[in-house]
Amino acid sequence: EFDPGCEAMIYTTDGTPLQGITGGYGGDRRVEYIIPEAGRKQGRHDFVIESSCNGMFGVPWNGDTIAPPDMNRFFSLASADLVVPNQDAWALLWDFTTLRELIDTLPGNTPLQNKALVAANEIMNVFNKGDPKGIRDARKVAESVFGEGWESKGAGIYDEGPKDSQIWGIAWYAFTLIASHVMSLYELRLWPYRVTQQKVARSWSTQVDLMERYPEHRFTCSSAQQYKWLEQLYPELFEKVKAKVLEGKFHPVGGSWVENDANMPSGEALVRQFVFGQRYFQSRFGKRCDTAWLPDSFGLTGALPQLIRGADAEKLYKEIRKDGEALLDDAFSVLFPDSIALNTSTELKSLPPTGKVVGFNTTFFRRSDIVQVPLIGANSSLESQVLQTSRDGAVGYAVMNTPGGGSVGSICTPETGLHAQILPVSGMPPLSNLCTLAHSRELISEGATGGLVIFEDQPNYWDAWGMFVPIDTFQVLTDVDADVEVHHLETAKPLEFTNISVVAQGPLRGSVKAVVKYDKSTIEVTISLDAITASVKENSRSLFHFDAVVDWRQRHEFLKFELPLNIHSDNATYETQFGHVQRPTHKNTTWDIAKFEVCGHKYADLSEFGYGVAILSESKYGFSCLGNMLRISLLRSATAPDAEQDQGEHRFSWAVMPHEGHFLESDVPAAAYLYNSPVRVRYVPEGGDLAISTLDSPFTVEGARNVFLETVKRGENDDFSKKSGTTTVVLRLYEAFGGHAQARLRIGSHLTVVKACTTNLLEEDDIELNILRADDSLASSLVRLNFRGFEVKTVKLVLQSTLPIATQSE
């Protein structure tokens, strides 16, 4: 018996894990290690114990599992003894434990629960401390529930019941990756990353040990990442697990790389979970998972069922964004080595004296954008290409048009006829007017104001998960793991801006900067209006841009932006992976009340016949709409399990988008897509990168504005280790509005496709498609595709290739 008061793992002397230890006196206590028979006979058994200074749920400072960690916590060795248990007493302990678990878990007042309760009560009556006969009598009472002589039958007892296993031991653990949810929070806030990996070995070695001693034992666990950790860090244990998988005792489930969050990741991110997960399971165990498994996600997207059918280390957002920007810049530097990124970190004095500004469109929509060009230290060639400069002269503005998706844009003269201008103001109260002059339409309700609002955020428990405060005369208790609760919406404190200044006066962009001081926090917001529309769709309107820099120092307060719209609808629309969902804007039932806060991706929209308004987001995922009040959640400030959650500087943006027509007639999804994928602005020296001038759009979707091309990638089964071979390109498309569509996929003339087919998510061929020659002068090819509402379709193109294939490293 070894009780370090914390978690530990027992190894062989060569480093193979044998089982886990959980010290302390909680319900998860397990401090026994059975010395093998060979060691008992030899009188010597060597092994190693590694203690990990954390409990089952980390080292919370007050013992509460969600509290911040106590970094000065110490654990004491309570026992390290060689013991010979009283086997009857030991068995009675587990008899009684099993009866208690039956009582706790079975439905109330059912025959078996009542029988277990009566037996447990009788055991308490017949048991006398220190009386061996009382122990045997108590065990006899337990047989009235388990069956007479059940223990002597051993594994043979299972032959008396159903032939298939009915009870499974199930476990899941914390993992790392930007798609994880509360699991990443557990691993980084409650225990170190390495302990996550150790927990996998501790648990799985214990299960293998149980399978050796109890052949009928079955165990299931998910997440390819956990198996890979085991393979890399504990290879001998991995081979034991693999053997149990092949024996049908250890069952991998889920099919995904981790037990991922299903709210915030994009649709393609969810696809990659299954693609990489199933490929791993197939490669290591010769079979895929046939059971989907996502037990601890705080929300499930409606896209999951078709993704499941098709699939047969927490980082902060700003860190991920920084890495993503660097990755894109590196990619453009490889593709177009003469081009130079134009951003605030560019050394403008080192630019060649002559050249042009271009923009790379990473989406597959035609677009027109106002782009910013840094000017401090710029040469005359760069300065001559901008049509407007900011008040301080630090940046210039230009119009960038890109004729097609995935192509290069050039600076041009605006053709919209729009003009941005800032009129002088003496102060800036909360937003009281939002007007579209073309239709003389006031979008803010008469007498109401919008803007930034602070709410109290005081949950009873699950600080970073939920809130509980009485509402009216009753309390609504929805899922205790909800991200927020409805009651906080009753404590609004509108914020007023001061220190108003004009940043850009037009004609391309008009901007004002405003600052608000609230308690210990400072919020700086730049509000802009551009002389272009949100998309190139006819009758599209301009966006109101909000760019915020926040020094956030609040505790248990919630920052939101709200608009009281002059629009009425029973439902609001929110984007989700590969589509959207609608939620009620009223509180008619408790179910309606529980839907007050909705996870959305790039937009939330409130529309009525003829008109609507959307809020677009590039990094925030919480929205709500009650009545006509449309809101986006910006910052929270919980203190557990991380005492410093979200403290410090934040930079984020959102936009307000009025639009003609109902949401289903609008360009909101396309505009939100463009808002989240800005043009990559670069400087190309004169005569450099000739390929840029001939770069055509490789793929275009025609004939169905409700079908979006989401992803273009190389085939997962292409052999990158060879310098030549089959080249496949995989496209992921989806229907975005919830209706049917007949779309044409136009393939650029510079790509020769020898075969096209639809596939499942694992890129296994399904139906071969006809490749048609386009009836025009472009010499391009066409593939016709039919979609149902919100359908995700994967298309694989096999290219005719005589050129060497670049390796992954290249």
Side-chain angles (χ1 to χ4, degrees):
E1 178 180 290
F2 183 82
D3 184 357
C6 55
E7 292 190 307
M9 184 150 60
I10 297 177
Y11 295 84
T12 63
T13 54
D14 63 0
T16 301
L18 295 175
Q19 74 164 64
I21 290 286
T22 302
Y25 292 91
D28 50 15
R29 171 183 170 87
R30 196 208 176 184
V31 297
E32 306 82 22
Y33 169 59
I34 300 175
I35 296 177
E37 184 177 355
R40 296 198 297 269
K41 290 181 177 180
Q42 293 176 6
R44 178 187 178 91
H45 177 56
D46 296 326
F47 58 95
V48 177
I49 302 178
E50 173 194 58
S51 293
S52 179
C53 292
N54 60 270
M56 179 65 76
F57 292 99
V59 286
W61 70 270
N62 65 352
D64 191 329
T65 57
I66 71 165
D70 177 5
M71 302 309 294
N72 296 313
R73 173 81 176 273
F74 285 84
F75 294 89
S76 300
L77 181 62
S79 63
D81 300 319
L82 190 64
V83 300
V84 179
N86 180 324
Q87 292 297 324
D88 283 337
W90 181 252
L92 178 59
L93 167 65
W94 294 108
D95 285 350
F96 194 84
T97 298
T98 303
L99 291 171
R100 178 179 56 79
E101 291 173 346
L102 287 172
I103 296 165
D104 290 343
T105 57
L106 290 175
N109 202 32
T110 55
L112 183 55
Q113 190 210 40
N114 289 337
K115 195 172 184 179
L117 183 59
V118 170
N121 184 73
E122 182 63 16
I123 287 174
M124 296 298 295
N125 292 334
V126 303
F127 175 77
N128 288 310
K129 184 178 180 180
D131 178 11
K133 183 178 182 300
I135 294 175
R136 290 192 295 271
D137 291 343
R139 293 213 66 202
K140 197 67 177 177
V141 173
E143 287 187 350
S144 66
V145 177
F146 303 145
E148 185 174 354
W150 70 272
E151 189 175 19
S152 63
K153 299 176 183 178
I157 195 171
Y158 294 98
D159 296 333
E160 300 179 7
K163 300 304 180 185
D164 295 329
S165 301
Q166 299 295 309
I167 300 174
W168 298 67
I170 299 175
W172 62 91
Y173 292 91
F175 341 109
T176 181
L177 286 187
I178 58 178
S180 46
H181 183 60
V182 67
M183 298 307 178
S184 291
L185 178 140
Y186 277 159
E187 74 172 32
L188 294 178
R189 305 306 182 200
L190 301 185
W191 55 68
Y193 173 79
R194 67 181 183 280
V195 174
T196 302
Q197 300 169 317
Q198 294 168 353
K199 280 178 173 285
V200 174
R202 283 198 287 267
S203 176
W204 293 10
S205 61
T206 299
Q207 300 306 318
V208 170
D209 175 61
L210 290 172
M211 290 171 189
E212 295 290 347
R213 290 190 283 124
Y214 304 99
E216 71 276 14
H217 180 60
R218 300 292 183 269
F219 182 78
T220 185
C221 204
S222 68
S223 307
Q225 177 64 77
Q226 297 186 74
Y227 293 82
K228 186 171 183 179
W229 280 335
L230 208 68
E231 183 182 13
Q232 294 176 329
L233 301 176
Y234 307 97
E236 295 85 1
L237 176 57
F238 177 81
E239 290 303 320
K240 291 183 178 181
V241 169
K242 181 176 180 179
K244 297 304 179 185
V245 170
L246 299 179
E247 290 174 16
K249 297 178 179 180
F250 197 114
H251 293 255
V253 294
S256 56
W257 192 255
V258 297
E259 285 178 11
N260 52 279
D261 170 38
N263 278 329
M264 292 172 59
S266 69
E268 184 61 23
L270 295 183
V271 169
R272 301 295 176 91
Q273 284 283 341
F274 288 115
V275 169
F276 295 147
Q278 291 287 51
R279 285 172 64 88
Y280 180 87
F281 290 121
Q282 180 73 46
S283 66
R284 296 322 191 263
F285 307 124
K287 58 183 179 181
R288 301 169 185 163
C289 299
D290 56 10
T291 302
W293 169 256
L294 195 57
D296 202 21
S297 176
F298 295 177
L300 299 172
T301 170
L304 272 178
Q306 67 166 315
L307 299 186
I308 291 169
R309 287 194 301 269
D312 198 62
E314 179 192 29
K315 283 191 172 185
L316 298 177
Y317 167 77
K318 64 181 180 182
E319 294 173 335
I320 296 170
R321 180 171 182 172
K322 180 180 178 181
D323 291 345
E325 294 283 346
L327 184 63
L328 284 172
D329 284 340
D330 289 346
F332 284 118
S333 297
V334 171
L335 294 171
F336 308 104
D338 295 335
S339 68
I340 303 166
L342 284 179
N343 52 48
T344 55
S345 62
T346 304
E347 285 289 340
L348 299 184
K349 293 181 180 180
S350 64
L351 292 181
T354 58
K356 63 179 180 178
V357 178
V358 300
F360 292 92
N361 179 13
T362 59
T363 77
F364 287 88
F365 298 100
R366 280 197 313 123
R367 63 190 301 170
S368 181
D369 298 83
I370 302 295
V371 297
Q372 288 191 181
V373 178
L375 292 181
I376 296 179
N379 56 41
S380 58
S381 174
L382 191 59
E383 291 177 339
S384 67
Q385 298 181 63
V386 301
L387 299 180
Q388 175 192 334
T389 58
S390 60
R391 280 287 182 91
D392 60 6
V395 298
Y397 304 96
V399 177
M400 180 76 68
N401 280 349
T402 50
S407 59
V408 178
S410 58
I411 287 178
C412 63
T413 303
E415 301 174 353
T416 62
L418 299 177
H419 182 89
Q421 184 178 2
I422 300 299
L423 301 177
V425 293
S426 57
M428 187 176 178
L431 189 62
S432 57
N433 295 96
L434 183 63
C435 184
T436 57
L437 298 180
H439 302 89
S440 300
R441 177 71 186 257
E442 174 56 59
L443 298 174
I444 300 293
S445 292
E446 185 176 355
T449 59
L452 293 176
V453 184
I454 291 283
F455 295 88
E456 290 183 7
D457 183 2
Q458 294 285 352
N460 287 350
Y461 196 61
W462 297 110
D463 194 5
W465 291 265
M467 310 173 194
F468 298 90
V469 182
I471 176 172
D472 298 330
T473 58
F474 64 94
Q475 188 173 25
V476 177
L477 296 179
T478 58
D479 182 1
V480 297
D481 285 343
D483 286 336
V484 292
E485 276 297 341
V486 65
H487 328 299
H488 75 285
L489 296 175
E490 300 179 355
T491 59
K493 300 176 186 176
L495 301 181
E496 293 194 10
F497 288 98
T498 57
N499 300 328
I500 314 300
S501 62
V502 176
V503 178
Q505 182 60 272
L508 297 183
R509 172 169 294 174
S511 302
V512 295
K513 181 183 292 184
V515 178
V516 59
K517 288 278 189 179
Y518 174 75
D519 193 25
K520 299 177 182 179
S521 299
T522 303
I523 304 170
E524 178 183 287
V525 179
T526 300
I527 308 172
S528 305
L529 180 65
D530 289 348
I532 60 167
T533 55
S535 76
V536 297
K537 179 179 179 289
E538 186 179 1
N539 297 326
S540 180
R541 315 310 307 163
S542 298
L543 297 178
F544 294 88
H545 296 266
F546 294 79
D547 300 299
V549 180
V550 182
D551 183 19
W552 187 244
R553 303 295 172 183
Q554 303 311 114
R555 309 282 182 174
H556 291 292
E557 291 187 285
F558 204 154
L559 177 66
K560 299 193 176 195
F561 174 81
E562 66 180 22
L563 287 175
L565 297 171
N566 185 25
I567 293 174
H568 173 76
S569 177
D570 290 339
N571 294 285
T573 304
Y574 308 87
E575 192 195 37
T576 186
Q577 296 94 339
F578 299 128
H580 65 258
V581 295
Q582 291 190 325
R583 293 289 182 262
T585 60
H586 51 75
K587 300 188 293 184
N588 288 353
T589 68
T590 55
W591 284 31
D592 296 335
I593 295 174
K595 298 173 183 177
F596 68 93
E597 178 91 1
V598 183
C599 177
H601 278 210
K602 297 186 284 292
Y603 63 77
D605 181 271
L606 184 66
S607 293
E608 63 184 17
F609 174 78
Y611 222 85
V613 174
I615 294 179
L616 311 186
S617 169
E618 45 82 64
S619 62
K620 303 299 177 181
Y621 293 83
F623 299 91
S624 65
C625 188
L626 183 60
N628 65 335
M629 185 69 78
L630 185 62
R631 294 187 175 103
I632 180 173
S633 300
L634 301 175
L635 285 172
R636 287 188 71 197
S637 46
T639 58
D642 181 1
E644 300 299 320
Q645 176 184 313
D646 288 342
Q647 299 295 298
E649 184 179 276
H650 299 259
R651 294 174 180 266
F652 50 86
S653 302
W654 70 97
V656 175
M657 178 184 172
H659 59 83
E660 284 190 39
H662 189 271
F663 166 78
L664 295 177
E665 305 169 281
S666 76
D667 57 337
V668 168
Y673 209 107
L674 295 172
Y675 184 70
N676 278 263
S677 304
V679 168
R680 316 301 300 185
V681 182
R682 300 181 75 84
Y683 183 81
V684 180
E686 185 176 6
D689 281 330
L690 297 178
I692 290 179
S693 60
T694 60
L695 189 63
D696 295 327
S697 179
F699 308 106
T700 306
V701 177
E702 301 174 347
R705 70 176 187 86
N706 55 331
V707 173
F708 289 5
L709 176 53
E710 163 83 1
T711 301
V712 177
K713 59 184 285 292
R714 281 291 301 275
E716 292 292 333
N717 298 312
D718 285 7
D719 190 347
F720 290 91
S721 65
K722 298 179 179 179
K723 290 292 184 178
S724 62
T726 301
T727 302
T728 63
V729 176
V730 173
L731 314 180
R732 199 103 57 212
L733 305 94
Y734 71 99
E735 196 285 320
F737 283 84
H740 285 72
Q742 294 180 329
R744 297 185 302 274
L745 174 65
R746 183 181 293 273
I747 304 167
S749 59
H750 58 291
L751 298 176
T752 303
V753 178
V754 297
K755 179 183 177 182
C757 62
T758 58
T759 73
N760 62 12
L761 296 187
L762 304 181
E763 300 176 15
E764 296 170 327
D765 292 2
D766 184 11
I767 300 174
E768 187 166 353
L769 303 170
N770 291 326
I771 304 172
L772 308 174
R773 176 67 64 180
D775 188 18
D776 54 30
S777 59
L778 300 179
S780 54
S781 302
L782 291 175
V783 173
R784 299 186 183 276
L785 301 169
N786 294 325
F787 289 81
R788 62 180 186 274
F790 299 132
E791 181 182 3
V792 179
K793 196 177 288 291
T794 303
V795 176
K796 181 166 70 178
L797 306 177
V798 180
L799 305 185
Q800 184 181 54
S801 176
T802 57
L803 298 176
I805 300 176
T807 63
Q808 285 178 307
S809 60
E810 293 173 332

